[in-house]
Amino acid sequence: MGETPGTPGGPANAAGGRPDGPGSAAGRHTAAVVADRFDLITWRDVYAQSAGLRELAGELHERHACAADLLADAFLAAYAPAPRLRERADMDLSRLVNHQVITSLLGSPEFTGLRRETVGDPYAAAMAVLAQGTALREMLERFREVQERTERAGKAQRDAEAAAVAAVEAPRQAAGGGDEENAVQVPATEAGQGPIAAAGAAARQAARDAAQALATAAPGIRAAARNAAARAAAAVREESALMRSWGVGAGELERMPFEQRARLAERLRSSRLAQWAELIGRFRQMAAGERARKVENATGELVGVTLGNDLTRVIPSELASLGLPGLRAVFAARYAAGELMLYDSQGEQATGRGAVIACVDTSHSMYTEGPGGVSREAWAKACALALLDQARHAGRDFVGILFSAADKLRVFRFPAGEPAGIARVLEFAETFLGGGTSYQTPLTAAGELLKEEFDDTARARGDIVFLTDDECDVTETWMREWNDAKHVLGFRVFGVAIGAPRAAGTGSVLEALCDNLRSLEDLTDVHAAADLFRVI
């Protein structure tokens, strides 16, 4: 009846839809989607790499001989740029249910939406098939009787063709040696007309029964196909959003091997990182919005009229006076006095040019969860990852420093000229040191990194963002050295006190260390740090 999935005669051949294959009528196809050899190679590669697809195919094949062909068709319908459905008359009757399922999928708006995510992406197309697995299983069980009728029709069709072949071959053999001229003269050929007629009648009746059953089932198949497409679209979009929230671009995903991409998706879905995805995505969107606001308020945006002598901003009425000889002297006098009327514009310019360094507290207290199950650690690292985005857009190096006690420190460097690989980003996000809190250790490390950058490239004016929920002392000697380093290197320090209010003017150590300190009480409010992204 069908081929065993995973074998050379299994889904790979079935996907090709070759006529005259095992169990198919002569000249009939078992694949509903017309595919070129490159698409077939892609399907075979994906099937070989995906344990999930092989497991699903094996499970379905135990009860449904058409399952391997159906999975291949569903993949090609999602993957191919312009999938072309084979004519129903060209299909082997045993695969008419598959043809109806794929027809229903391609005709549904849900599947059209799904294809926006899957066309040309083998991994996304395979994921779409897996996401539809439950629905396909339910369809095959629900319409099992219809499938059995189409399989009987297919068998009757093959029996009729076999009877016709036998009726032609028998006279040849009787004539001795297959002499075609003698064979047609043997009267025994008339004896075969009865079996041929009976087989043909049985095949036609079986085909009518199958067509009637399929027509009755078609509305149900269409509804089930739409539900399957909707589930698949939701699953693919969810994973796509998950990848985007972690900054994994489409180009990086396309270059990633299938199994590596599958492991990454599973890691992001199942680990504690899954709880952070929404927060990280919100931070990235907010940071992108703040970058756009920089453009809105850039120098050159008209906000009024002022006085001055900048000839590039002189209003037209002033320039018109140059056309009158008697007013040219007046124009020159007003220019000299800086009293020409000019367009007034304003802008907010980032002053940082050196590295962006995020010092993230990972002491034991940062593990505390706040509103919405968001931990202080998650909020701080989401902010740090958005700062990584900010640095890369500005062409600046980024360094993430994780700290806790004086002897616990991890430094993650992300140079501007190198891609920030997702593996390194996840290592930064997942690392948690625990223990107490020391300010001096991470800030000293940050200062040394900025000095190293200055010595190597003469680039000063870096930015340090210090995210912590704790308060600890620093020595007077260290504080003097810290202020001297700030003066020489010209860096700024922004502080974010997480989880507890710190009013300005309280004289805290954190306030003394930072040029700009903000307090954060609501761990779900990413906009509390919005102004950071306008000036960094």
Side-chain angles (χ1 to χ4, degrees):
M1 292 290 293
E3 304 295 336
T4 302
T7 64
N13 284 349
R18 295 182 306 168
D20 305 323
S24 67
R28 303 300 178 112
H29 294 268
T30 59
V33 178
V34 180
D36 60 35
R37 64 190 184 93
F38 298 106
D39 289 341
L40 296 181
I41 290 172
T42 301
W43 162 246
R44 290 164 186 157
D45 288 345
V46 167
Y47 186 84
Q49 295 177 57
S50 173
L53 280 178
R54 295 195 302 275
E55 182 180 342
L56 178 61
E59 175 193 342
L60 295 180
H61 184 78
E62 290 180 359
R63 291 176 56 81
H64 308 282
C66 63
D69 294 307
L70 180 59
L71 295 183
D73 282 331
F75 172 85
L76 294 170
Y79 172 76
R84 182 163 62 91
L85 201 62
R86 209 178 294 280
E87 292 294 332
R88 181 169 168 174
D90 296 333
M91 292 293 297
D92 185 279
L93 296 179
S94 66
R95 297 298 186 266
L96 289 183
V97 171
N98 287 9
H99 189 275
Q100 181 64 54
V101 170
I102 301 303
T103 300
S104 300
L105 283 175
L106 290 174
S108 70
E110 292 82 0
F111 199 76
T112 300
L114 170 64
R115 281 177 43 78
R116 296 192 187 101
E117 305 284 347
T118 60
V119 170
D121 186 338
Y123 175 86
M127 182 185 171
V129 175
L130 291 172
Q132 295 174 88
T134 299
L136 293 176
R137 184 185 300 108
E138 291 172 353
M139 272 193 283
L140 290 176
E141 287 297 329
R142 178 180 173 186
F143 301 107
R144 185 177 180 83
E145 182 180 347
V146 180
Q147 178 61 37
E148 289 174 350
R149 289 193 183 189
T150 62
E151 288 177 357
R152 285 196 296 269
K155 183 178 183 304
Q157 186 181 58
R158 290 188 291 274
D159 289 344
E161 292 169 354
V165 171
V168 172
E169 292 297 329
R172 292 180 181 174
Q173 295 175 3
D179 186 330
E180 185 174 351
E181 184 177 355
N182 293 332
V184 297
Q185 296 175 357
V186 175
T189 54
E190 298 179 2
Q193 295 304 313
I196 293 176
R204 288 190 294 274
Q205 182 60 46
R208 285 193 293 269
D209 290 346
Q212 182 180 358
L214 194 61
T216 303
I221 292 177
R222 283 194 292 270
R226 291 190 65 172
N227 290 335
R231 290 186 206 174
V236 172
R237 282 196 295 267
E238 180 182 348
E239 181 164 311
S240 180
L242 184 64
M243 294 294 183
R244 284 196 300 269
S245 71
W246 282 97
V248 187
E252 185 177 357
L253 287 176
E254 289 175 4
R255 294 189 299 270
M256 197 176 292
F258 186 95
E259 284 301 326
Q260 181 182 347
R261 186 169 169 182
R263 287 194 299 270
L264 173 62
E266 182 62 24
R267 181 180 180 185
L268 294 180
R269 280 195 300 263
S270 60
S271 68
R272 66 193 182 103
L273 300 180
Q275 302 173 8
W276 302 2
E278 181 182 357
L279 182 65
I280 291 170
R282 288 169 57 203
F283 254 108
R284 289 183 185 275
Q285 291 174 3
M286 183 268 293
E290 294 304 321
R291 285 195 294 273
R293 289 186 61 183
K294 285 185 181 182
V295 175
E296 291 174 6
N297 292 321
T299 300
E301 181 188 358
L302 177 64
V303 294
V305 176
T306 187
L307 299 179
N309 58 5
D310 186 350
L311 295 178
T312 65
R313 295 189 287 134
V314 176
I315 67 174
S317 61
E318 291 278 25
L319 292 174
S321 65
L322 290 175
L324 301 174
L327 295 179
R328 289 174 185 170
V330 176
F331 182 92
R334 294 179 64 187
Y335 172 76
E339 295 179 350
L340 293 174
M341 286 190 291
L342 313 175
Y343 285 124
D344 189 15
S345 61
Q346 70 179 20
E348 191 172 43
Q349 298 295 323
T351 58
R353 291 295 179 269
V356 177
I357 301 179
C359 296
V360 180
D361 186 352
T362 60
S363 62
H364 181 72
S365 59
M366 289 289 286
Y367 208 75
T368 304
E369 287 193 353
V374 178
S375 67
R376 298 174 180 181
E377 177 205 10
W379 196 97
K381 286 181 177 175
C383 182
L385 291 176
L387 288 169
L388 167 60
D389 277 359
Q390 196 80 350
R392 300 195 78 76
H393 277 87
R396 302 168 67 182
D397 291 347
F398 176 82
V399 181
I401 297 179
L402 305 181
F403 70 92
S404 58
D407 60 342
K408 293 184 177 182
L409 192 79
R410 287 286 305 276
V411 178
F412 295 82
R413 296 193 184 208
F414 298 90
E418 301 176 9
I422 183 61
R424 187 69 169 163
V425 170
L426 291 180
E427 185 182 2
F428 169 71
E430 289 185 313
T431 299
F432 188 84
L433 302 177
T437 306
S438 168
Y439 284 179
Q440 291 184 192
T441 300
L443 290 174
T444 298
E448 290 174 351
L449 287 169
L450 292 176
K451 183 178 185 304
E452 176 186 321
E453 181 183 41
F454 179 78
D455 291 342
D456 290 345
T457 64
R459 191 161 54 234
R461 293 157 59 191
D463 291 313
I464 298 173
V465 181
F466 198 75
L467 302 112
T468 182
D469 71 336
D470 210 344
E471 181 78 17
C472 70
D473 294 329
V474 297
T475 66
E476 291 185 11
T477 301
W478 182 89
M479 193 67 179
R480 283 195 298 270
E481 294 174 350
W482 174 252
N483 287 329
D484 290 343
K486 284 182 64 178
H487 177 73
V488 171
L489 299 174
F491 60 78
R492 302 174 296 178
V493 182
F494 300 86
V496 182
I498 302 173
R502 281 178 172 81
T506 58
S508 68
V509 173
L510 190 59
E511 184 178 8
L513 288 170
C514 299
D515 303 302
N516 184 307
L517 175 64
R518 73 219 61 231
S519 297
L520 175 72
E521 297 179 67
D522 184 356
L523 296 184
T524 62
D525 182 14
V526 300
H527 297 282
D531 57 329
L532 278 176
F533 300 93
R534 288 198 297 272
V535 295
I536 291 180

